Amino acid sequence: MDGRNGQTNPYELTDETPVYVISVAAQLSGMHPQTLRQYDRLGLVSPDRTPGRGRRYSARDIQLLRQVQRLSQDEGINLAGIKRIIELENQVSALRAQVAELQQALETAAVTMRQREAQVHASYRRDLVPYQDVRASQAIVVWRPDRGRG
């Protein structure tokens, strides 16, 4: 973000910016480029494509490749299991984002409701006075319109 005018800098790099060619991504992830191609075909990691169909990996893709390698080598999980784990993690992330969005909407609705409730209370007529007969077990409200008005 550019602090002067609040606009996004189109040249700002994020974790999702596809900048690494396959050879660099392979080096950074500690894998062979052919392994990255196989993972792309299997849908484990889906890098962006250039107009010439070349793969471009982001920092997030590199992290995912490292996670796939760790799950495969250290945990002994097969590629189908790893794909399912990644899908479930993505679902959890999406659901967490949805919950946060719904919580924000709920908080906004609660604030609006409290404001409207305050407006209603402020609009009450002050000539209606609750009356309670101390002899009765229930409170009643007595309203006696002033017939001389209006």
Side-chain angles (χ1 to χ4, degrees), residues 100-118:
E101 186 178 311
L102 290 171
Q103 284 176 327
Q104 181 62 43
L106 180 63
E107 289 171 15
T108 301
V111 167
T112 302
M113 183 189 70
R114 284 192 294 272
Q115 289 171 342
R116 288 181 180 166
E117 184 179 350

Side-chain angles (χ1 to χ4, degrees), residues 65-79:
L65 288 167
R66 289 177 181 160
Q67 180 185 9
V68 169
Q69 185 178 39
R70 183 186 57 76
L71 289 170
S72 176
Q73 292 179 355
D74 298 348
E75 305 295 329
I77 301 172
N78 65 25
L79 295 180

Side-chain angles (χ1 to χ4, degrees), residues 31 35-45 65 68 79:
M31 297 179 188
T35 305
L36 273 61
R37 288 184 188 95
Q38 179 186 5
Y39 288 175
D40 186 10
R41 279 192 299 278
L42 294 172
L44 291 170
V45 178
L65 288 167
V68 169
L79 295 180

Side-chain angles (χ1 to χ4, degrees), residues 17-142:
T17 306
V19 293
Y20 304 107
V21 295
I22 193 166
S23 59
V24 174
Q27 269 186 317
L28 291 172
S29 63
M31 297 179 188
H32 192 277
Q34 198 59 35
T35 305
L36 273 61
R37 288 184 188 95
Q38 179 186 5
Y39 288 175
D40 186 10
R41 279 192 299 278
L42 294 172
L44 291 170
V45 178
S46 300
D48 282 8
R49 299 290 184 146
T50 64
R53 302 290 298 145
R55 292 172 175 88
R56 290 292 184 271
Y57 292 84
S58 68
R60 177 137 315 147
D61 292 331
I62 304 297
Q63 291 173 340
L64 186 55
L65 288 167
R66 289 177 181 160
Q67 180 185 9
V68 169
Q69 185 178 39
R70 183 186 57 76
L71 289 170
S72 176
Q73 292 179 355
D74 298 348
E75 305 295 329
I77 301 172
N78 65 25
L79 295 180
I82 293 171
K83 184 174 182 178
R84 185 66 180 138
I85 289 169
I86 291 169
E87 289 169 352
L88 290 171
E89 286 177 343
N90 290 338
Q91 282 181 329
V92 167
S93 294
L95 289 171
R96 283 185 176 146
Q98 186 178 15
V99 165
E101 186 178 311
L102 290 171
Q103 284 176 327
Q104 181 62 43
L106 180 63
E107 289 171 15
T108 301
V111 167
T112 302
M113 183 189 70
R114 284 192 294 272
Q115 289 171 342
R116 288 181 180 166
E117 184 179 350
Q119 288 173 343
V120 168
H121 287 297
S123 72
Y124 288 163
R125 291 179 45 187
R126 301 295 180 219
D127 60 339
L128 296 178
V129 179
Y131 170 78
Q132 182 174 3
D133 186 349
V134 291
R135 296 169 293 167
S137 61
Q138 295 181 344
I140 58 169
V141 176
V142 177

